[in-house]
Amino acid sequence: MAQHEIARRTLLAAGLGALLVRPACAASAIVSENGGLDGVVASDARVETRFEGGRWCEGPVWVPRLASLVFSDVRANRMMRLPSEGRAVTFRDPSANANGNAIDAQGRLITCEHLHRRVVRQEPDGRVTVMADRFAGKPLNSPNDLVVARDGAIWFTDPTWGIENPEEGRPSEPEQKGRFVFRLDSSGRLDVVSDSFEQPNGLAFSPDERVLYVSESSGAGTPEGKREIRAFDVAGGRLSRERVFAMLQSGAPDGLKCDEAGRVYAGTDGGARIWGPDGTYLGRIATPGDCANIAFGGPDGRRLYLCSGPAVHAVQLKVRGAGLRS
Ligand code: MG
């Protein structure tokens, strides 16, 4: 190949790359607390912008059969699919103001919909099955986020934001007596597993599923609200020994994930904050704006995706996420 042809191709490749991926932060995005992130991420790792132009990105989940991240653009009323390499494409439009997403052991996508105040499952033929839309005979508030346990049960939170904010659903009066954390077992039985939250939000299991972490986000936009991550012991589909695992000084925790070593990651103001399983604060992966939700993915399960307002960023980690499905 002629020298000028190599140069032209190099330029083309560089130009294409610049269109698809660019650093999100000029300065180092890794803010390690006393070296706490040494085992998590290289100190010079770059946070790259993989998507921008959304309105409010949330609910990321890695879908192995698509080799893609699927996420919700809640206020744009659509869901997007972002391949491991390349540009995002529309996945579902309209999306009923979908928010949190997860996949079950069969690889089916489970989604929280604000507009219809329900949790749905997409079947292999594309049909959508309603998994939960009422409790005690009344509509749910607006399911926000969910996690699927190994036994197939779907654990989800039901705060009221999706019936308060016209940009994220349809304003309505809540009909539930609280903002509950629910467990939907594989027979279809729906139980309240916690009624102690003002606004429950993200949730994640420890790798052995013996601990459930849940964000209390009533402090989002309200100084007197709470901004903490709570932990519970899990046994027999029930929660016990509720305690505060971590507290934030500002903002509020949103989406949660654990890695394979049991570290806890939270979407917060200023990026993803990370704690050891014992609650020791380890540091932060900074994003240009607030980070709402996070997900492990990529071909090796070591890429952390960060949904931050109109954008989705990604950074390569040294560790895999917990509970990733193939
Ligand atoms: Mg949320």
Side-chain angles (χ1 to χ4, degrees), residues 14-47:
L16 187 61
L19 275 176
L20 300 178
V21 172
R22 62 178 181 77
C25 306
S28 173
I30 311 304
V31 188
S32 188
E33 195 80 15
N34 300 318
L37 295 184
D38 288 354
V40 175
V41 60
S43 60
D44 61 352
R46 294 202 316 173
V47 177

Side-chain angles (χ1 to χ4, degrees), residues 227-229 246-254 266-269 273 275:
R227 40 184 60 82
E228 61 197 27
I229 301 168
M247 293 181 69
L248 299 182
Q249 301 302 312
S250 59
D254 194 333
T268 69
D269 58 335
R273 292 176 198 273
W275 292 263

Side-chain angles (χ1 to χ4, degrees), residues 4-299:
H4 72 270
E5 177 66 3
I6 294 173
R8 190 178 74 85
R9 291 192 179 199
T10 304
L11 278 172
L12 279 173
L16 187 61
L19 275 176
L20 300 178
V21 172
R22 62 178 181 77
C25 306
S28 173
I30 311 304
V31 188
S32 188
E33 195 80 15
N34 300 318
L37 295 184
D38 288 354
V40 175
V41 60
S43 60
D44 61 352
R46 294 202 316 173
V47 177
E48 295 174 330
T49 299
R50 292 288 291 110
F51 171 78
E52 51 192 347
R55 289 191 61 204
W56 188 256
C57 299
E58 298 229 36
V61 64
W62 182 254
V63 182
R65 67 184 166 81
L66 301 175
S68 298
L69 186 83
V70 169
F71 63 95
S72 300
D73 189 355
V74 182
R75 294 177 187 169
N77 196 22
R78 63 179 178 171
M79 291 167 66
M80 305 294 290
R81 178 172 76 81
L82 177 63
S84 183
E85 309 292 336
R87 305 179 76 92
V89 296
T90 301
F91 179 79
R92 189 180 294 171
D93 185 0
S95 66
N97 300 107
N99 191 334
N101 293 287
I103 57 170
D104 67 10
Q106 290 77 45
R108 296 172 297 192
L109 186 69
I110 320 280
T111 298
C112 295
E113 294 180 348
H114 284 179
L115 184 65
H116 301 311
R117 304 165 72 166
R118 66 188 188 181
V119 177
V120 300
R121 181 177 72 203
Q122 186 175 33
E123 308 299 341
D125 64 5
R127 284 180 304 116
V128 164
T129 300
V130 178
M131 306 299 290
D133 62 354
R134 304 176 82 78
F135 178 73
K138 301 284 179 59
L140 300 175
N141 296 323
S142 53
N144 184 287
D145 211 347
L146 73 169
V147 63
V148 183
R150 289 193 191 96
D151 66 1
I154 299 168
W155 299 64
F156 66 94
T157 55
D158 190 38
T160 53
W161 292 301
I163 52 173
E164 291 172 353
N165 184 348
E167 285 193 305
E168 297 195 5
R170 182 182 298 127
S172 310
E173 287 300 314
E175 297 185 48
Q176 293 297 320
K177 292 179 177 169
R179 291 91 182 257
F180 301 135
V181 182
F182 287 105
R183 177 179 182 269
L184 177 70
D185 77 11
S186 44
S187 76
R189 177 189 169 118
L190 185 61
D191 289 308
V192 174
V193 287
S194 175
D195 61 0
S196 68
F197 286 80
E198 294 176 29
Q199 290 283 28
N201 197 342
L203 19 62
F205 282 112
S206 60
D208 60 9
E209 295 194 353
R210 290 183 178 173
V211 178
L212 180 73
Y213 300 96
V214 183
S215 291
E216 163 59 74
S217 306
S218 56
T222 311
E224 62 271 21
K226 296 189 173 73
R227 40 184 60 82
E228 61 197 27
I229 301 168
R230 298 186 193 164
F232 300 81
D233 289 352
V234 185
R238 295 289 176 268
L239 300 178
S240 63
R241 213 167 71 80
E242 179 173 3
R243 63 265 190 197
V244 175
F245 173 77
M247 293 181 69
L248 299 182
Q249 301 302 312
S250 59
D254 194 333
L256 301 177
K257 290 288 183 295
C258 285
D259 71 17
E260 58 191 346
R263 300 180 190 90
V264 179
Y265 298 57
T268 69
D269 58 335
R273 292 176 198 273
I274 305 168
W275 292 263
D278 63 355
T280 303
Y281 180 63
L282 304 178
R284 174 169 65 99
I285 299 171
T287 50
D290 292 350
C291 174
N293 291 151
I294 49 183
F296 284 87

